[in-house]
Amino acid sequence: MAKFFGNLHLVMLVGLLAAVATMFGFADTAMIDGNSIGRWLHLFFGVLWIGLLYYFNFVQVPSMPKIADEHKPAVTGTIAPSALFFFRWAALLTVVTGLWIAMINGYMVDALTFRGAGNVNLIGAGMWMALVMAFNVWFIIWPAQKKVLGIVEASAEEKAAAAPRALIASRLNTLLSIPMMWTMVSANLG
């Protein structure tokens, strides 16, 4: 058992196979189509994205001042770059799957332009919050963190300016995640 659970790729593969088995095992009562697959993937990538956002904001950032200087390179050289890899790709895939769901259900344009009725506009507000958050991940947080973590060359001044910029964008994402998630669970569209 320890060997199996020690292999993340194998655990993920078996989890995927269990999901497919569950889908087909309940195929008579649950629809298996682009919408249900899209929602499932949207939820998976969204949990990964927001989970890592909360990890950074509730655990890593507040804990760094408490870590002895000789141990900080383990976080900044190994843990943070790996977490940021999954963080940014989960953000992108959450947005892509969310847009896919909106498109195949026929409300993407109405939601993004606030021309729909009721819950379509509500989900549109959530979509815009998620788009701002994903923009922050890819175009503010990630470029700043590359400097802070030494992944790209940066002067001491550039690193010093990048750290608060990344923190503000990350905290804005934390702030936006709260109403964004409410719109997602409250809209109940297609």
Side-chain angles (χ1 to χ4, degrees):
M1 283 303 248
K3 186 174 182 179
F4 169 74
F5 287 111
N7 184 334
L8 177 61
H9 294 101
L10 186 56
V11 168
M12 293 298 296
L13 176 63
V14 172
L16 178 62
L17 293 173
V20 170
T22 303
M23 287 177 201
F24 287 105
F26 289 92
D28 58 333
T29 59
M31 181 75 66
I32 302 172
D33 59 6
N35 188 36
S36 66
I37 299 296
R39 287 177 181 277
W40 172 56
L41 292 172
H42 185 63
L43 177 64
F44 174 79
F45 293 123
V47 168
L48 182 58
W49 178 19
I50 301 304
L52 286 167
L53 173 69
Y54 290 173
Y55 160 75
F56 287 127
N57 279 279
F58 292 109
V59 179
Q60 184 174 308
V61 170
S63 297
M64 286 303 287
K66 302 171 195 166
I67 297 174
D69 288 343
E70 65 269 14
H71 298 297
K72 287 182 181 180
V75 176
T76 60
T78 304
I79 295 170
S82 179
L84 285 163
F85 172 84
F86 289 103
F87 178 64
R88 67 182 188 274
W89 287 105
L92 177 66
L93 292 169
T94 301
V95 168
V96 168
T97 55
L99 292 172
W100 169 257
I101 293 164
M103 184 185 71
I104 65 173
N105 284 289
Y107 60 82
M108 183 170 73
V109 173
D110 287 342
L112 289 171
T113 60
F114 297 106
R115 292 188 197 160
N119 283 346
V120 171
N121 291 335
L122 178 62
I123 202 74
M127 290 167 73
W128 276 109
M129 285 183 248
L131 288 168
V132 168
M133 292 168 63
F135 179 90
N136 284 345
V137 168
W138 279 93
F139 299 106
I140 299 174
I141 297 168
W142 176 233
Q145 286 297 333
K146 286 193 293 186
K147 291 176 184 174
V148 171
L149 298 173
I151 296 169
V152 298
E153 290 291 323
S155 67
E157 295 81 22
E158 290 173 317
K159 287 181 181 184
R165 188 169 46 252
L167 180 64
I168 290 168
S170 186
R171 293 289 164 85
L172 175 60
N173 280 7
T174 301
L175 181 153
L176 290 174
S177 72
I178 299 165
M180 183 270 306
M181 286 189 288
W182 184 84
T183 67
M184 298 296 162
V185 300
S186 298
N188 293 322
L189 297 173

